[in-house]
Amino acid sequence: MSLGRWSVPVVGRTAHGPGVVELEVEAPALAASIRPGQFVMLFPETPGAPYLGRPMSYFRRSEETMSVLFRVVGAGTRHLAALVRGDRLSALGPLGQPFPDPEPGEVCLVGGGVGVPPLYDWARTLREQGHGVTVLLGARSADQLLGEAAFSPIAAQLLVATDDGSRGHHGPVTSLLPASTATVYACGPSAMLKAVQEWARGRAAPAYLTLEARMACGFGACLGCTVAAANPDPAKGDYGRYVRVCTDGPTFAAGAVLL
Ligand SMILES: Cc1cc2nc3c(=O)[nH]c(=O)nc-3n(C[C@H](O)[C@H](O)[C@H](O)COP(=O)(O)OP(=O)(O)OC[C@H]3O[C@@H](n4cnc5c(N)ncnc54)[C@H](O)[C@@H]3O)c2cc1C
Ligand code: FES
């Protein structure tokens, strides 16, 4: 199905710890067409909501519904978090590219903070395809950790790390990265993505990073989300170029972008 914009009703709202909300909307057309790795732009239909939509990965979906899981950080997410059952929002999507397919064999998913939501349906899909899925979840502290209960029935191995040691490994989640040939997908704060990028340098198996750039349009028109592509080759007249996170991404091979 191609890109569309729908006015959809909120059918569920669940708090997942301090300032984190899962919002479920009835959106059968979107739920049927969106693929793991893609996202939507959300526009709360409430007075005073920002004019520009806010990009969100989807977390879970069923035949009829789709949910997003987000942290409240500013005006847009505050308006989204204030919605209750029966309120409506507009959703533009599906946007962006789905996750690239992995190599045969093991897959490792690394999620930090609110980078965890896009990985859940991907883990489910990979498991259905027969991949063994290791999931590494990181957060500042135990009360900010997302997704542990959702991932535990799916993951062959689930490891947790917190910066303050209040749950799981004490330290960055990237210190749990495996020395295996697993295909790696990482989504989280830029420091985490930089660490994965560094770790993946020279590695034979692929690693992919999902970026969360600020976005105005979400479909390639405004150039507000661009990041520099890596590896310009001046000898071939390539002095560097930019890629759009919204349409070329949001997921890129670890060596393909400058962070
Ligand atoms: C493809 C994509 C998927 C996303 N998926 C999720 C998700 O599943 N869950 C979730 O919680 N968030 C997700 N985000 C981030 C989310 O879009 C922002 O948190 C949101 O747009 C902030 O809007 P706001 O109006 O509440 O905050 P604003 O008032 O716009 O900003 C508040 C603060 O957050 C910072 N900020 C805003 N947007 C971003 C961003 N994209 N990256 C880094 N810092 C930002 C600002 O610099 C500022 O400091 C995603 C972003 C992208 C691009
Ligand atoms: S957000 Fe407008 S081009 Fe990417």
Side-chain angles (χ1 to χ4, degrees), residues 3 22 24 29 36 45 55 75 134 154 163 165 171 204 211 239 246:
L3 179 63
E22 181 177 358
E24 187 181 19
E45 294 179 10
T134 294
I154 303 173
D163 294 346
L211 310 190
Y239 293 95
C246 64

Side-chain angles (χ1 to χ4, degrees), residues 2 6 9 18-19 34 43 51 56 69 77-78 80 92-93 100 139 165 172 176 182 188 190 192 196-197 202 221 256:
S2 54
W6 290 270
I34 200 162
F43 306 76
Y51 172 72
M56 288 289 160
L69 177 65
T77 45
R78 219 170 20 249
L80 285 170
L92 174 72
L176 301 174
S190 57
M192 187 197 102
V196 175
Q197 190 179 50

Side-chain angles (χ1 to χ4, degrees), residues 107-121:
V107 174
C108 176
L109 307 181
V110 192
V114 287
V116 168
L119 300 176
Y120 170 70
D121 203 38

Side-chain angles (χ1 to χ4, degrees), residues 20 37-41 50 52-59 68-80 113-118 146 187 210-215 245-246 250:
V20 178
Q38 293 188 297
F39 65 98
V40 289
M41 293 292 276
L52 295 174
R54 294 300 190 260
M56 288 289 160
S57 302
Y58 77 95
F59 178 41
V68 291
L69 177 65
F70 60 94
R71 185 176 299 285
V72 177
V73 293
T77 45
R78 219 170 20 249
H79 274 270
L80 285 170
V114 287
V116 168
L146 295 178
C187 185
T210 301
L211 310 190
E212 289 195 348
R214 302 206 70 180
M215 292 183 181
V245 174
C246 64

Side-chain angles (χ1 to χ4, degrees), residues 215-225 244 246:
M215 292 183 181
C217 72
F219 50 82
C222 72
L223 305 183
C225 64
R244 286 169 290 194
C246 64

